[in-house]
Amino acid sequence: MFWSKVFIPTLKETPKEAESLSHQLLLRAGFVRMLMAGAYTYLPMGLRVLEKIQGIIRQEMNACGASELLLPALHPLELWQKTGRDKDLGEVMFKFQDRRGRDLSLGPTHEEIITDLIKNNFSSYRQLPLVLYQIQTKFRDEIRPRFGLIRACEFIMKDAYSFDQDEAGLDKNYQLMYEAYKRIFSRCGLETLITEADPGVMGGKVSHEFMAPSPLGEDIILLCSKCKLTRAFSREKIENEEGSPHAGKEGNNSCPKCRVNMDKVNTIEVGHIFKLGTKYSQAMQANFSDAKGQLKPLVMGCYGIGVSRLISAIIEQNNDTDGIIWPAQVAPFGIIILPLDVTDQKVMQAANSLYQELCAGGLDVLFDDRDERAGVKFKDADLIGVPTSIVIGKKSIEEKNIELRIRKDKSTQLIPRENAVKFITKLLS
Amino acid sequence: MFWSKVFIPTLKETPKEAESLSHQLLLRAGFVRMLMAGAYTYLPMGLRVLEKIQGIIRQEMNACGASELLLPALHPLELWQKTGRDKDLGEVMFKFQDRRGRDLSLGPTHEEIITDLIKNNFSSYRQLPLVLYQIQTKFRDEIRPRFGLIRACEFIMKDAYSFDQDEAGLDKNYQLMYEAYKRIFSRCGLETLITEADPGVMGGKVSHEFMAPSPLGEDIILLCSKCKLTRAFSREKIENEEGSPHAGKEGNNSCPKCRVNMDKVNTIEVGHIFKLGTKYSQAMQANFSDAKGQLKPLVMGCYGIGVSRLISAIIEQNNDTDGIIWPAQVAPFGIIILPLDVTDQKVMQAANSLYQELCAGGLDVLFDDRDERAGVKFKDADLIGVPTSIVIGKKSIEEKNIELRIRKDKSTQLIPRENAVKFITKLLS
């Protein structure tokens, strides 16, 4: 695609409203814009990253035997009253009436909604196990929206739900998801720590959080430097519930195995999985008939990933002073072609022919067709973080070379033009 | 994919709440479920159709040089107050406050939001023309949600916006979109009539509606049987504005060219394009500096498609007494394999090996692995409307054949097993 068509409004100045590095870079690189506190527009570059991440998630969910659906964002409040979670979640839920006086809410999550769906469309153990997921927009009335996509009022989540006959079935699906989550984050180029966590208002007995280490992270994890054991820091829960950090009582923070003090690591929660058990199915009478014809409540698990938040977490872990360094699998484009002088016909011909060949090979190529100085183009290419640049100037054409530049270490190499497509295709695969 | 995993809750009875044929079929075939009046869950089969339609739309939009982004659904009400459309749209907009007292609305459309975005991220004529689009969820507080996906409170729309220097640029983009719309509907297997229409609250001077003929359609179009000229029926607007049909005053309904009475055709509006001109850019000071450095308001167009509504319109035009007949390009699956006896190992082996080969060839294959009678499987296959069935039973294995069944005309033919994959691949391409 051509830079002039994509709409990539990069900024020279760092916007004042940006409170974190990832937030600054998302704005400066022209990936997102704030509509109001907590609500962001994904500009074309941001949307491309979002779609790459969603593609990875879909592959891994489908590989677990999960099937994708899409639940509404508008909910009848009465379903939330059945479990009492309208009260548990309190002001975090947007609530209002429609013109006919129906009490509605915007979905902050979907346990009640999917349990109701299954209850009304399900009968026999022969249809179990069943795993459903969606990638969908959630709404939460955050008291302090912060850090751009990290804590927003409107955000994109992947939520999956498993339905089983018994605890053994749940354990199996939970384990499948646990492993899928590890693969998803790793494929997104994200380092995560996994820790057992308090299920909180979600309910159930067991839950695990997937936490991405980052200085801006508001959730503190304890990590044993010796045995790599992790544990939630005991002050954390007080902070989360009251919405603002203050000094809580610190618990015993030594490693139960090695007896040494564990390190505090700031992290961003990117995934959370729960063994819900029968909390929702019992409250909402979502039953199945077992092999003997007896009615039993469905045994449920739920599995969330903060999809839009992932974008920020990835940037927090992958950047340098010049901008973002996208891991290849989630980069908005794999390659950017930089013709150094767009008024030079030979340069543009060479750049165009390479562009056509790379696109024909199925690669994601961005073509910087702007009439800008080379310095501006290099700076912008570094800022937006495309993994590979190809520089095309008069000299390289004469010498029948192209100059390849790797964003991560800024190394450059000359490649003979005739081998270029083969070389780049191999590099990016 | 396997039927048992996909979650396709077909129904034998026609649900009472369904007011139209497409609504009945969507429910019976297990494609959607109602959460409440006006809000629907897309079950996996419904979501697959939605994604096929979205894929076609994306291809055609990108081919017009449009770039995709994603705008928020939560809007600050103040942006709507700048154009006065908060009043024009009135109760159709969901409005509420967040816990900090901000006045918010859920986006019924996005002209104000995108104009604000461009105003803040745009300066020079050199960046024009620019065409942006999104596929996104809209919210409208309909007084009478009806006909399932046809008139819903939460629905999916493709909305595109063009920005130009002058009317000539707008005319060019408008024409590109007009042609793209024709291709989109045709690729979706939908017959449409195009008619000039009143721009209504959207504003601007020129607009065209793309209308799908259907008995349930609430918009009446006049069609000259001789010259095929179309015209909006003069009573239509009264109905739309007041939200319920009643007898309006009928205008002169004869063809201006042929002087014969035009036929009334009931239609569903599936697309609407508008030359907005400078209505929004002037109200919101969205200007650009021209080649002489003078500030001028951007000249805008907007282009909508009711994506979720398209699903219903397609079904209204493509069905028979047994169920849906999906046009190939939007079918949830291209092929369904029906092993007649899942307890017979030979049948299952034959079915499985064909399934693997077809999937490896990149085809969308549904495998009916349910332990159900052949009659149930045939009925369900007809109901869900997959274009091609492959029947595998003992006899066909012995004779080294497969039985191919075309949903549309229910014709069957025997194909030698050894040619099956090649034959089917060619049939579906």
Side-chain angles (χ1 to χ4, degrees), chain A residues 15-198:
Chain A
K16 281 178 201 155
E17 81 247 37
E19 308 140 311
S20 69
L21 186 63
S22 57
H23 192 186
Q24 285 170 17
L25 288 172
L26 281 169
L27 291 169
R28 280 189 56 213
F31 280 61
V32 304
R33 283 295 179 266
M34 187 175 82
L35 174 59
M36 60 181 178
Y40 285 82
T41 292
Y42 298 87
L43 297 178
M45 292 291 275
L47 186 60
R48 289 183 75 92
V49 175
L50 196 62
E51 279 171 359
K52 294 277 172 88
I53 295 172
Q54 290 174 354
I56 292 172
I57 292 175
R58 286 197 170 99
Q59 279 183 359
E60 295 291 348
M61 287 296 109
N62 296 345
C64 289
S67 192
E68 188 175 356
L69 48 49
L70 184 61
L71 298 161
L74 275 180
H75 299 176
L77 194 62
E78 61 183 302
L79 282 184
W80 287 84
Q81 288 161 342
K82 286 194 183 174
T83 59
R85 285 216 302 171
D86 58 320
K87 295 218 173 85
D88 295 347
L89 283 154
E91 287 198 278
V92 164
M93 285 180 83
F94 284 106
K95 293 176 197 132
F96 50 93
Q97 287 195 330
D98 71 5
R99 62 158 101 178
R100 297 188 294 171
R102 289 190 300 187
D103 284 312
L104 305 179
S105 72
L106 290 176
T109 174
H110 279 76
E111 284 74 21
E112 280 77 358
I113 306 304
I114 200 149
T115 307
D116 182 65
L117 174 76
I118 296 301
K119 164 198 167 80
N120 295 320
N121 291 283
F122 206 85
S123 51
S124 162
Y125 73 98
R126 292 195 304 165
Q127 294 163 286
L128 296 172
L130 182 67
V131 187
L132 297 167
Y133 75 99
Q134 63 172 345
I135 296 179
Q136 194 255 8
T137 302
K138 308 282 185 231
F139 298 89
R140 291 184 191 170
D141 193 353
E142 291 285 350
I143 194 153
R144 277 196 319 153
R146 283 181 81 184
F147 304 131
L149 305 181
I150 298 276
R151 190 180 289 184
C153 298
E154 176 173 350
F155 59 97
I156 299 170
M157 202 169 135
K158 187 283 299 180
D159 40 328
Y161 304 88
S162 65
F163 301 89
D164 277 283
Q165 293 193 49
D166 49 31
E167 294 284 336
L170 170 59
D171 290 349
K172 203 174 152 191
N173 273 320
Y174 192 87
Q175 194 58 35
L176 273 176
M177 283 287 167
Y178 185 102
E179 297 301 327
Y181 271 45
K182 288 205 284 188
R183 286 192 301 274
I184 288 168
F185 297 126
S186 152
R187 289 177 64 185
C188 287
L190 198 68
E191 182 207 334
T192 52
L193 298 171
I194 308 172
T195 181
E196 263 203 75
D198 181 343

Side-chain angles (χ1 to χ4, degrees), chain B residues 209-419:
Chain B
E209 284 178 322
F210 292 75
M211 313 298 285
S214 154
L216 79 79
E218 293 181 293
D219 289 316
I220 299 170
I221 289 293
L222 295 172
L223 175 67
C224 175
S225 55
K226 274 193 174 170
C227 71
K228 301 297 168 198
L229 185 93
T230 57
R231 195 155 76 67
F233 178 52
S234 56
R235 208 178 57 193
E236 177 216 7
K237 289 300 151 191
I238 299 168
E239 288 178 5
N240 269 358
E241 274 158 25
E242 302 191 2
S244 71
H246 64 83
K249 215 175 163 187
E250 237 176 84
N252 173 14
N253 291 328
S254 67
C255 176
K257 244 164 105 184
C258 313
R259 307 274 167 199
V260 298
N261 243 357
M262 296 170 87
D263 298 329
K264 288 183 200 167
V265 185
N266 284 75
T267 57
I268 302 166
E269 181 189 338
V270 288
H272 203 154
I273 59 178
F274 303 84
K275 291 190 186 177
L276 297 175
T278 56
K279 168 176 173 170
Y280 296 89
S281 50
Q282 281 190 318
M284 302 181 73
Q285 282 104 50
N287 300 315
F288 70 99
S289 64
D290 71 6
K292 292 172 193 158
Q294 278 192 316
L295 277 188
K296 285 188 179 168
L298 288 158
V299 181
M300 292 172 58
C302 85
Y303 314 91
I305 291 180
V307 181
S308 41
R309 171 183 284 193
L310 259 186
I311 300 177
S312 292
I314 294 168
I315 296 176
E316 289 287 332
Q317 290 188 3
N318 296 276
N319 67 76
D320 63 15
T321 51
D322 293 321
I324 307 169
I325 305 171
W326 289 111
Q329 285 214 53
V330 296
F333 290 94
I335 311 159
I336 180 168
I337 297 181
L338 303 170
L340 292 186
D341 180 358
V342 298
T343 61
D344 184 316
Q345 239 187 337
K346 273 191 188 162
V347 168
M348 286 306 270
Q349 266 171 11
N352 259 313
S353 85
L354 187 63
Y355 174 73
Q356 301 293 348
E357 284 178 51
L358 291 169
C359 287
L363 297 179
D364 274 339
V365 192
L366 180 61
F367 188 111
D368 190 349
D369 59 339
R370 294 175 302 164
D371 186 6
E372 294 281 3
R373 284 177 299 110
V376 171
K377 292 192 175 191
F378 287 132
K379 264 209 151 88
D380 273 350
D382 281 349
L383 181 60
I384 66 172
V386 171
T388 320
S389 305
I390 297 167
V391 186
I392 295 183
K394 271 184 204 169
K395 202 180 149 208
S396 59
I397 296 172
E398 277 162 23
E399 294 168 359
K400 294 184 180 165
N401 281 330
I402 59 152
E403 187 186 318
L404 197 79
R405 193 161 172 278
I406 305 298
R407 170 66 183 87
K408 195 166 187 171
D409 57 11
K410 294 184 180 163
S411 63
T412 57
Q413 52 188 309
L414 292 174
I415 315 283
R417 171 63 180 88
E418 56 181 356
N419 304 338

